[in-house]
Amino acid sequence: MPIASVHEFTAELTVLHRGTPAEGVVVLDLGHLDNTYLPRWQPGAHIDLLLADDLVRQYSLCGDPHDATTWRIGVLLDLNSRGGSQYVHEKLQVGSVVRVRGPRNHFPLVDSANYRFIAGGIGITPIMAMVEAAEQADSDWTLLYGGRTRGSMAFAADLAERYPDRVTLGPQDECGPLDLRSLLEEPENSALIYCCGPEALLAAVEQQCAHWPKGTLHIERFAAKAPTAEQEAAALEQFEVVCQRSGVTLEVGANQSILELVEATGIPITTSCYEGVCGSCEARVLEGLPDHRDSVLSASQRESGEVMLICVSRSCTEKLVLDL
């Protein structure tokens, strides 16, 4: 996984098209008015919208990765919005200009002959490009897609019409909860599972996949996962962080994050969500054992201890040496 860079592509893009594919969802096509090429991206990638100085939000790209001039995102109006989705819905119209950074991908589609995609609500956005990539690669794939109501499920009708034998829709008011047990009861040889949606769905999928081979399940979260009791017990309240390249040593207290201290010293680092879900503040670990509390790194990446997200993660050793 690449380390996030303070030199990531950043540009002012224009809203070229705006649509409403479902209740409470808007789709925006972003690009340059002169059709200047944008950086390439792969399924699973997301971008940051820098809506204001203190308002940065991440949205998955759900368009065509082969379209080099347009980035498409889908945004659900969150009833408990802290400002991001409300800003997008109310202020970003056709012709509006918005500052964008990225793309960044911590949910990459691994090559496989067999995929089982599971989406809940707006979690369909990163899955959209994955479905198309699997289809183009002639892989065996299915999509189980749920939502509160059929009308709230963006792109549902189009997906079901194009792939009637592969897509199963499960509006909760019509069908109840998604039938995960039937889909995941028996591990399939070489199958990879990709899931995105609300935390309740992700937790249920994790539980159903507990007996599947390690590395089979790939999940993207929109909100941080709470640390376990074991994590709380293993982490130190105070520890030292050495920023190797900068020659700076930081003393991290119980109520401080590594990131806030790094920023306070002026060490350059990309920041965005501050919640461990976007992956922008990833740092390489040179010495010490991180206490991973993010919702981005895979199990193998956590076990290797080679990188960490410094906005939420802490330390299990008295000293961490980071490549900062």
Side-chain angles (χ1 to χ4, degrees):
M1 180 185 296
I3 301 295
S5 169
V6 293
H7 303 297
E8 281 184 310
F9 173 82
T10 305
E12 306 257 337
L13 299 185
T14 300
V15 178
L16 304 175
H17 174 77
R18 175 181 165 122
T20 53
E23 299 166 6
V25 177
V26 296
V27 167
L28 304 180
D29 286 351
L30 307 173
H32 295 288
L33 291 176
D34 62 359
N35 287 328
T36 299
Y37 283 176
L38 299 170
R40 294 286 187 176
W41 59 278
Q42 297 297 321
H46 69 266
I47 58 174
D48 297 337
L49 295 193
L50 287 72
L51 303 172
D53 289 342
D54 59 347
L55 189 60
V56 180
R57 294 293 183 269
Q58 299 76 44
Y59 298 106
S60 298
L61 290 168
C62 59
D64 180 2
H66 299 99
D67 182 353
T69 63
T70 305
W71 283 349
R72 173 172 291 179
I73 59 172
V75 181
L76 171 69
L77 179 59
D78 186 349
L79 298 180
N80 298 312
S81 174
R82 295 171 297 156
S85 65
Q86 184 177 6
Y87 186 105
V88 171
H89 275 249
E90 295 181 359
K91 297 188 177 183
L92 295 187
Q93 307 296 328
V94 173
S96 297
V97 175
V98 59
R99 193 161 182 78
V100 177
R101 181 173 62 204
R104 196 178 305 118
N105 198 342
H106 294 277
F107 190 44
L109 184 67
V110 178
D111 289 340
S112 177
N114 192 357
Y115 297 102
R116 297 294 170 255
F117 299 114
I118 304 170
I122 200 62
I124 189 63
T125 49
I127 301 297
M128 286 286 291
M130 293 184 177
V131 162
E132 297 302 329
E135 179 69 12
Q136 291 173 16
D138 200 26
S139 298
D140 178 18
W141 66 271
T142 62
L143 168 63
L144 180 61
Y145 177 21
R148 299 188 318 277
T149 65
R150 193 174 295 270
S152 71
M153 297 167 61
F155 314 114
D158 179 59
L159 284 165
E161 182 178 353
R162 293 175 63 189
Y163 308 114
D165 297 329
R166 296 186 181 272
V167 175
T168 300
L169 302 182
Q172 189 168 13
D173 64 335
E174 299 176 21
C175 310
L178 292 178
D179 185 6
L180 300 176
R181 178 175 295 180
S182 295
L183 178 66
L184 304 173
E185 188 171 13
E186 294 296 332
E188 297 181 51
N189 184 35
S190 77
L192 296 181
I193 302 164
Y194 279 81
C195 180
C196 186
E199 182 58 35
L201 172 63
L202 302 185
V205 170
E206 285 180 319
Q207 182 178 10
Q208 292 291 335
C209 289
H211 62 296
W212 281 62
K214 185 177 180 180
T216 297
L217 177 61
H218 300 259
I219 277 180
E220 181 170 60
R221 284 183 157 84
F222 292 141
K225 188 175 182 179
T228 64
E230 291 78 8
Q231 284 179 306
E232 295 283 14
L236 299 175
E237 288 193 2
Q238 297 182 323
F239 55 94
E240 180 182 88
V241 171
V242 177
C243 301
Q244 185 78 9
R245 281 188 285 116
S246 304
V248 174
T249 298
L250 307 171
E251 298 294 335
V252 183
N255 297 315
Q256 296 174 304
S257 75
I258 301 172
L259 177 57
E260 69 180 84
L261 294 179
V262 167
E263 287 187 303
T265 64
I267 296 173
I269 187 168
T270 301
T271 60
S272 186
C273 74
Y274 293 87
E275 296 180 353
V277 295
C278 77
S280 64
C281 67
E282 183 179 308
R284 184 172 288 110
V285 179
L286 304 178
E287 181 183 327
L289 180 63
D291 167 38
H292 297 289
R293 300 194 179 193
D294 65 275
S295 299
V296 173
L297 298 181
S298 67
S300 61
Q301 288 169 327
R302 290 170 179 243
E303 289 174 7
S304 74
E306 294 178 353
V307 294
M308 67 182 297
L309 300 186
I310 64 173
C311 61
V312 293
S313 297
R314 299 185 65 78
S315 180
C316 295
T317 51
E318 294 184 356
K319 182 172 76 172
L320 282 175
V321 180
L322 304 180
D323 186 22
L324 292 173

